Amino acid sequence: MDEQVVVVALQEQKVYSRPRALTAETTNYCPGCTHGLINKLIAEVIDELGIQENTISVSPVGCAVFFYRYLVLDGVVAPHGRAPAVATGIKRMLPDRVVITYQGDGDMAAIGMSEIVWTAMRGENITAFFVNNANYGMTGGQMAPTTLAGQVTTTSPQGRDVETMGMPTRMAEMLAGLPGSAYVARCATYDARTIRDARNAIRLALRAQMAGAGFSMVEFLSSCPTNWGLSPQEALQWIKQTMVAYYPLGEFKVSEAVQRLKAKR
Amino acid sequence: MDEQVVVVALQEQKVYSRPRALTAETTNYCPGCTHGLINKLIAEVIDELGIQENTISVSPVGCAVFFYRYLVLDGVVAPHGRAPAVATGIKRMLPDRVVITYQGDGDMAAIGMSEIVWTAMRGENITAFFVNNANYGMTGGQMAPTTLAGQVTTTSPQGRDVETMGMPTRMAEMLAGLPGSAYVARCATYDARTIRDARNAIRLALRAQMAGAGFSMVEFLSSCPTNWGLSPQEALQWIKQTMVAYYPLGEFKVSEAVQRLKAKR
Amino acid sequence: MPKGRIVIHVEACKGCQLCTSVCPSGLIRMSASFNRKGYRPAELVDPTGRCTGCALCAMICPDAAIEVYREAKVKPHAAPPVEEVVVIVTEPA
Amino acid sequence: MPKGRIVIHVEACKGCQLCTSVCPSGLIRMSASFNRKGYRPAELVDPTGRCTGCALCAMICPDAAIEVYREAKVKPHAAPPVEEVVVIVTEPA
Amino acid sequence: MQTSVVIAGFGGQGVLFAGLILAYAAMDKELYVTWYPSYGPEMRGGTASATVVLGDEEIGSPVVRHPDIVIAMNGPSFRKYEPLVKPGGMLFYNASLIADAGTRTDIRYVAVPANAIAAEIGDTRVANAVMVGALAAVTGILPLEALVETVERHMPPARRAMVFPNQEALRRGAQVVAGLGQPVAS
Amino acid sequence: MQTSVVIAGFGGQGVLFAGLILAYAAMDKELYVTWYPSYGPEMRGGTASATVVLGDEEIGSPVVRHPDIVIAMNGPSFRKYEPLVKPGGMLFYNASLIADAGTRTDIRYVAVPANAIAAEIGDTRVANAVMVGALAAVTGILPLEALVETVERHMPPARRAMVFPNQEALRRGAQVVAGLGQPVAS
Amino acid sequence: MAKELLKGNIAIAEAALRAGVDAYFGYPITPQTELLEHMSRRMPELGRVFLQAESEIAAINMVYGAACTGAWAMTSSSGPGISLMQEGLSYIALSDVPAVVVDIMRGGPGLGNIQPSQADYNQLTRGGGHGDYRCIVLAPATVQEAIDLTVLAFDLADKYRAVAILAGDGLIGQMMEPAELPPMRQRSRTPPPWALTGARGRPPNSITAFSIAAETLEAMNWQLQAKLQRIREREVRYEAWLTEDAELLVVAFGSVGRIAKTAVREARAYGVRAGLIRPITLWPFPYAPIAQAAARVKAVLVVEMNAGQMVDDVRMAVCGQAPVHFHGRPGGSVPVPEEILERIMTLSKEG
Amino acid sequence: MAKELLKGNIAIAEAALRAGVDAYFGYPITPQTELLEHMSRRMPELGRVFLQAESEIAAINMVYGAACTGAWAMTSSSGPGISLMQEGLSYIALSDVPAVVVDIMRGGPGLGNIQPSQADYNQLTRGGGHGDYRCIVLAPATVQEAIDLTVLAFDLADKYRAVAILAGDGLIGQMMEPAELPPMRQRSRTPPPWALTGARGRPPNSITAFSIAAETLEAMNWQLQAKLQRIREREVRYEAWLTEDAELLVVAFGSVGRIAKTAVREARAYGVRAGLIRPITLWPFPYAPIAQAAARVKAVLVVEMNAGQMVDDVRMAVCGQAPVHFHGRPGGSVPVPEEILERIMTLSKEG
Ligand SMILES: Cc1ncc(C[n+]2csc(CCOP(=O)(O)OP(=O)(O)O)c2C)c(N)n1
Ligand SMILES: Cc1ncc(C[n+]2csc(CCOP(=O)(O)OP(=O)(O)O)c2C)c(N)n1
Ligand code: SF4
Ligand code: SF4
Ligand code: SF4
Ligand code: SF4
Ligand code: SF4
Ligand code: SF4
Ligand SMILES: [Mg+2]
Ligand SMILES: [Mg+2]
């Protein structure tokens, strides 16, 4: 080692800070809700890819309705469930911008089913971030499409009865099955490894869009400590132990074009 | 042979007549349109199963809007695409009745995507008949979700461009992939064999419903001579030679319960 | 070969010609005159009694305009299997 | 072991305790006092300098309330691989 | 002065196109004109009609309850419109398909064997133009030559092959009513 | 006569429940009463308030701009509602969390160390009931014993364990203001 | 039955149960969600049908289907969801089947917010969907009235085979008040003769909002109009208070009606002879009573929790007999008695 | 340019192209489908955006998205589809982005039929969606006017950042008439400063129909109302014909306006001094001109192709100065000059 390196070794380096693409505003999310974490991860990747000035967001109706205020992006709030249609309108006008939607499970999988299926089906070149917290968070914890079998919510007081309500919806699998989707993955954020994987999935989804590969979607198993009646840590454990069993993590669709991107890194 | 048999052998027997469940009314379908044939097949199976007085129909908005007048059934016309929701409302009130919807490809796969997916997802115990004629017939031949790649319609004058409109929708495959569906098949009616298969699929779908097995759906590749600009025979040939290549015939989902039914006959 | 006969309901027919295209013996042709809806209905032309009552024409008719009759040895409970030909021995509603 | 240090933005913290649960050395605890929003913010209690700057706490913080500093041999262009720890060497917006 | 014409028949009989010939010719003559289609409940092949109103002043209603002139291409249209023709008006009918006899005394009937003439020309699809030719000759609301020119001028490129048969049909329609003699004045 | 009370604080401080104690007690006393909640923009944990209006005649508005009485459970609520209290009204505040000093001379301030008292009872969640007890004792709009009974009568089965701590909190709240002496009459 | 402290939303749900609702289909939306939640527990308890739909569009169409079987079916929502139901409502209106819809109005337009509002007035009373139709619209001012009008909504929907809408605002849905619920009604569940139940031993029934020919669709429309006319003639409901000697007439509905009452009372205390008409049926609108009251006053003040919607109906009723003034608060703000009083006092000085 | 024989739907589509529309999103529905079809061919030819949406809901939300980028976006439909767009329209209205919607009205309610109608009047002029908003509504009576008003719709939508609706009826959409198209406009495509284009070198823009706090949403609403008031003051358009000396005033819009003209002309021939006001802007409605004309007449006759909707606006305008009569044909029937003339003659005898 030469002298110069030793000197430098004493320097303190900032290794983690608030991403630039995140505004200074405190979010309205409840304490420990991973909505915030997912917002942050998206901001980090936007910083990393240097696309903050080139990206337009479409916020949902749901706990993330303020997404447009949390990210330093041009943005619009779509009617409940219609974010993919609004995003389509934007992207068709501005094909060289990155267009992202951020949607809850009620928003995307219930009222917005048609719009997301059609956006995937047409292979619209946008990226949808899908936050699956197994209930309608914002309205106070009603049963969502993704509510697990037997899970108690304010509208399934006896637990979700799959006889009358069907099995929970696996959006990643469903959208992966459509010809227009290029990249579909399901992630979680309950520990360092899953957070890293989530960030990688976000990155790949956005790179897919930037490469014009078609529709990309990243599903996140997300916590809702408030409506689940759990502490934030317990909520993460519940995701890990209970949700993942029904909603396996991983990549469900990697089109050839995306495969090539992935190889390139 | 004894004498008696010889005598009887001279008797003329009626081996094919208009099904009882079909009204005397002349349909509004164009000459040679297989909508009529499919209506007839459904009526035949209803006769056969003896369920005419126990069945309620939900008609679509499309060329088949008068379905309720062609079959001797209690019936209602649903708003465009919403037949599955209307049928759900009926079936939840009258679980012991047979409830059927009859929908075109625009009706079910475009505007009604959310309702059909959700009805399948919940495993509503109804039967959906899906008439795929690769265009919006009633409104004069616009591109439908099912329009084939490159197919010219009044709104795809250069042929369907899959780059901007995505690949044609395969509803049978998609609905078969959902947990709540019990029986899903795709049929055609271009010759005696496919007609017989179609009738069998209709029968099995209705028997599945009668047995409470869950959601059943039969897709028909159907002709639209008028908007395709073909003669009725040419239209059947086009189905056989062109449509079937993209829309394979067969059963896409036979749940265990239906498998058992099938074995029973 | 069994002997058969078909009856075409002139006013129900839309002249689509699907029946003519499927008759194995080419026994159906289109009439020269119009029905009330303005279509030329199909008609059976079977002077030599070649119709077998196979019902292919009736099966494909989208307008349920054709009835088929067949001379047959009537064994009680021996209707043709439903999977092959629909046997619905009633009058139209 | 590298030496590290974290800064918690008191007003951004919602007291969710996720950071306390992930710190391998248990160096974070909740403050006794409230911030302006009424939460008890997290605070670093590291009298013996055991923080390694591993950034696990910051990674999991849903409110981006934690910044992490680490003493390191600075080789030019040798930032830790992004796949492992996000290195975004800028100030918050 | 305004004249209203309804052309009615089966969907396949080209009644909308027959109306268009009149409408284009009127426009080319710088008259006011409106053309309005209507379809029956059938998807295709049912009944259809076109209403054309033309004249030398701004046109109010493009639909009329009692048309001045009706062209009936088939039996159902004849029966539907016969009672609706305005007293003093005219009913042109396709005698090739319509056997009915007229029952009103306050309108004029003009029988034109349009299908037969069209068949002679070699294309039954131009029976509609035969009727229009007859109408022009009898009523004089538009000169025959204007109609003939209009067909040439406005036929879309894809259907250029139909120009001549249509022109021929217009002329033959005019001839045949001339042959039949002028209808009685009412 | 009608009295309006606003109880405001962080979402977790039980302000809606505190309002319910008042509302139920008023109902049990056969008074007219309305209870109306309001939430801040946060999903949870933000600010919340309950407005209770009670009296012996039909109640018009269940919302008020200038309440007679305010219970402020935290600093932001104190600052938001201090200027809104009706002249001559009262502001009860949770002195455990609020250091601010009152600035108005036309209203009465009553400081109650609610969190501290609740902690003594063994459950900081009943700080809300401490404030309600204080309010009852000072204003007399409802007798303390009515509130105590109400808690017993209307606590939902799942939360029966909270009956006693709440009753205790009501009593201690009443005591502590008695200890502080009657507030000055305005 | 004794009075209970009831939240408006819960009271409405429970009243619907007791009136005899057979089926509930709905989707969450603030400030109405407690209604859905209450139903999710109570309907299965009673062996009736509850289904959380995937959207408001599905919900209204499930209501349509259920209603076709002769059942009493209902849904509930708020502004954005009600907008999505307009196509379905238009179908139901021409189909002659009964249905009950609850709208707990919130701040709009668009996503707006979740605060109380009355800004769906036009949408509800004018038939926000396409075509010529109206729905019966009932606006409660108290939790007790919300209960009573819920029961009435079912009875009217059933009687006229029409859509009856309970137009609550966020205040009514979210507030609690002592109120008395009716006893559980024992309703005959024999399907009416027009219902779809399977054509057993009778010719098939069909239900449509459709007729291809202009003449027949016109006839259906005139039939519908005749029914609406009967409703106009028979079902107008309103509260008039201190109007006999009033020199200033206040018109307000729903929760603003009760808020205005306080202002009117206070105005009287200041010596201003104010009076109040509170329309209870927003459709059919009480044109005649307002016209009569207006004949005697110097001015009319319309107060709404919106930017001015019912005021058009009042103008039509008053028909130039007195100036019509408007005071409104859109976007989720609630007009309080103080500001209404202020307007009354200013107007009384002007007059 | 010379006159061409143009079908209303095609004329509107082509006029939109020439006015400078950047994007079209739509879904088939009779009697408007030719408009969509024309766009499917012409937009790609011009390098602009055409997308057949999967539904009207998707279409209006695609319009919303495209409009957010500063583009001129449009959709077209008929009754049922317009009903489905109500939520989206309500969002757009509060978002301050421009959009153009064409409604070629057909018989309703429900599925109704495909014959001409004017029964969406209330839905279009009252904001069929939730919340306090209005759209600019323009009603052409001829194919030429359909062209001119289409261009105007874009200009007004752009000027006020509002929704402008072209309210055609099935007659206008389906009929052909000689008309002249404007030349292709060369429009600047620089996005306006509020547009979403990526926050390059400026703080982010956001577009919402949303504000959680009542105060801020109220402020947004008052801003919207102020804009609507400006439109009311500046953009009223109507045609008055023979009203100067009229003793009987006919009010009718769109195609019925022209039909009524024939009746008025004929009435004059019979010596009855009839006159016509034809509102061109249905919103803002020409209250003042109607009020003025009504001051001089013995009776007012409103004729509509529905069961009576605009008649309420006319009543408000006339405000008791003369009796207001109504003649209407709902469900797809077209009122012909003969029947209007008959009403005029009867009224003139009565008066
Ligand atoms: C048309 C319409 N229906 C319903 C609502 C009410 N609403 C607001 S947020 C929401 C659900 C949000 O749940 P989800 O999408 O899962 O998001 P989360 O809050 O759980 O993140 C609903 C139903 C609405 N705003 N608009
Ligand atoms: C909400 C709504 N949108 C559009 C229409 C117009 N419309 C009537 S039928 C139809 C399409 C029918 O196509 P399809 O479902 O494929 O049935 P087909 O006629 O081909 O059998 C459409 C779009 C409508 N009636 N309602
Ligand atoms: S309600 Fe649930 S999802 Fe919404 S912010 Fe709170 S914890 Fe997160
Ligand atoms: S338009 Fe096509 S689908 Fe419709 S009836 Fe005619 S041939 Fe059949
Ligand atoms: S029954 Fe068979 S043989 Fe006879 S006419 Fe029909 S197809 Fe021909
Ligand atoms: S198949 Fe039927 S409708 Fe077609 S021509 Fe033959 S008989 Fe007539
Ligand atoms: S950086 Fe690592 S060691 Fe330091 S406080 Fe955070 S988690 Fe603990
Ligand atoms: S994880 Fe963040 S918000 Fe949660 S306690 Fe730690 S610093 Fe505070
Ligand atoms: Mg959710
Ligand atoms: Mg189709």
Side-chain angles (χ1 to χ4, degrees), chain H:
Chain H
M1 290 216 172
K3 286 201 174 176
E4 303 166 54
L5 189 65
L6 287 168
K7 185 166 230 198
N9 283 330
I10 308 281
I12 293 166
E14 194 58 36
L17 288 165
R18 295 175 185 216
V21 67
D22 296 307
Y24 175 94
F25 305 94
Y27 188 80
I29 187 167
T30 312
Q32 137 315 319
T33 304
E34 296 88 354
L35 205 168
L36 167 83
E37 291 173 342
H38 191 75
M39 288 300 198
S40 76
R41 190 170 58 77
R42 289 282 283 146
M43 292 294 275
E45 262 174 34
L46 295 168
R48 306 191 196 162
V49 170
F50 168 86
L51 181 53
Q52 183 176 324
E54 67 271 25
S55 70
E56 292 88 352
I57 291 183
I60 192 68
N61 283 291
M62 290 170 182
V63 166
Y64 188 19
C68 286
T69 69
W72 282 15
M74 77 177 287
T75 185
S76 58
S77 190
S78 186
I82 300 289
S83 288
L84 289 169
M85 292 182 189
Q86 293 304 326
E87 189 204 23
L89 287 171
S90 175
Y91 273 73
I92 296 175
L94 190 64
S95 295
D96 273 338
V97 298
V100 170
V101 176
V102 177
D103 179 10
I104 303 297
M105 294 182 266
R106 62 187 229 172
L111 181 52
N113 60 21
I114 59 174
Q115 310 304 325
S117 167
Q118 299 182 322
D120 301 353
Y121 180 93
N122 278 339
Q123 182 181 38
L124 301 179
T125 61
R126 292 294 181 277
H130 60 287
D132 288 291
Y133 72 94
R134 302 287 173 121
C135 304
I136 299 169
V137 185
L138 306 167
T142 64
V143 172
Q144 185 63 57
E145 198 177 31
I147 292 168
D148 301 342
L149 293 183
T150 298
V151 177
L152 181 65
F154 280 98
D155 289 336
L156 292 179
D158 184 67
K159 177 171 174 190
Y160 294 103
R161 289 163 62 183
V163 178
I165 300 177
L166 189 80
D169 45 59
L171 260 176
I172 294 295
Q174 290 300 318
M175 70 185 286
M176 290 179 99
E177 240 178 342
E180 197 175 325
L181 287 161
M184 186 68 74
R185 188 190 273 180
Q186 295 311 330
R187 204 167 63 69
S188 145
R189 255 127 185 128
T190 317
W194 49 262
L196 308 185
T197 54
R200 186 174 302 279
R202 59 160 171 76
N205 286 334
S206 51
I207 293 175
T208 72
F210 165 56
S211 185
I212 204 97
E215 307 80 61
T216 48
L217 189 65
E218 182 173 10
M220 286 166 75
N221 264 279
W222 287 128
Q223 228 159 37
L224 173 57
Q225 290 298 321
K227 174 168 88 180
L228 296 179
Q229 189 52 33
R230 279 198 305 281
I231 299 174
R232 275 194 197 93
E233 283 159 15
R234 296 184 200 162
E235 305 297 349
V236 169
R237 282 168 174 79
Y238 63 97
E239 178 191 356
W241 191 64
L242 306 179
T243 52
E244 280 307 312
D245 65 340
E247 54 186 2
L248 195 143
L249 177 68
V250 178
V251 185
F253 72 93
S255 61
V256 180
R258 67 188 284 167
I259 295 173
K261 222 175 201 177
T262 300
V264 166
R265 188 187 286 127
E266 290 174 10
R268 290 257 168 187
Y270 285 111
V272 174
R273 277 185 285 118
L276 173 75
I277 288 191
R278 179 172 66 85
I280 293 172
T281 49
L282 304 186
W283 194 93
F285 190 77
Y287 291 108
I290 292 176
Q292 282 153 25
R296 298 186 296 264
V297 301
K298 286 189 300 190
V300 178
L301 173 64
V302 178
V303 188
E304 299 180 69
M305 198 145 59
N306 61 36
Q309 300 195 16
M310 180 181 67
V311 63
D312 276 358
D313 277 325
V314 175
R315 274 200 195 105
M316 251 185 295
V318 172
C319 202
Q321 299 179 96
V324 176
H325 302 270
F326 175 71
H327 179 77
R329 301 292 305 271
S333 287
V334 180
V336 291
E338 290 91 325
E339 60 192 275
I340 303 174
L341 178 63
E342 208 182 294
R343 282 300 299 261
I344 295 177
M345 298 310 290
T346 321
L347 286 173
S348 84
K349 270 166 222 149
E350 279 171 13

Side-chain angles (χ1 to χ4, degrees), chain B residues 35 104-107 131-138 144 146:
Chain B
H35 260 305
D105 40 7
D107 195 77
V131 179
N132 173 355
N133 59 10
N135 76 64
Y136 289 79
M138 193 189 215
T146 48

Side-chain angles (χ1 to χ4, degrees), chain G residues 65-203:
Chain G
C68 286
T69 70
W72 281 15
M74 76 178 288
T75 185
S76 58
S77 191
S78 187
I82 300 289
S83 288
L84 289 169
M85 292 182 190
Q86 292 305 325
E87 189 204 24
L89 287 171
S90 175
Y91 272 72
I92 296 175
L94 190 63
S95 295
D96 274 337
V97 298
V100 170
V101 175
V102 177
D103 179 10
I104 303 297
M105 293 181 267
R106 62 187 229 173
L111 182 52
N113 60 20
I114 59 174
Q115 311 303 326
S117 167
Q118 300 183 322
D120 301 352
Y121 180 92
N122 279 340
Q123 181 181 39
L124 301 179
T125 62
R126 292 293 181 276
H130 59 289
D132 288 291
Y133 73 94
R134 302 287 174 120
C135 303
I136 298 168
V137 185
L138 306 167
T142 65
V143 171
Q144 185 63 56
E145 199 176 31
I147 292 167
D148 300 342
L149 293 184
T150 299
V151 176
L152 182 65
F154 280 98
D155 289 336
L156 293 179
D158 184 66
K159 178 171 173 188
Y160 294 103
R161 290 164 61 184
V163 178
I165 299 178
L166 189 79
D169 47 57
L171 260 176
I172 294 294
Q174 290 299 317
M175 71 185 287
M176 290 178 98
E177 238 178 345
E180 198 175 324
L181 287 161
M184 185 68 74
R185 189 191 273 181
Q186 295 311 329
R187 206 167 61 71
S188 146
R189 256 133 185 120
T190 317
W194 49 262
L196 308 184
T197 55
R200 188 174 301 280
R202 58 160 172 76

Side-chain angles (χ1 to χ4, degrees), chain A residues 15 40 62 134 146 154:
Chain A
V15 291
K40 189 181 70 171
T146 49
T154 62

Side-chain angles (χ1 to χ4, degrees), chain B residues 53 74-76 79 97 122, chain G residues 54 62 197-198 202 205-207:
Chain B
E53 294 192 327
D74 274 11
V76 54
R97 304 303 197 284
R122 276 193 305 265
Chain G
E54 66 271 25
M62 290 170 183
T197 55
R202 58 160 172 76
N205 286 333
S206 51
I207 293 174

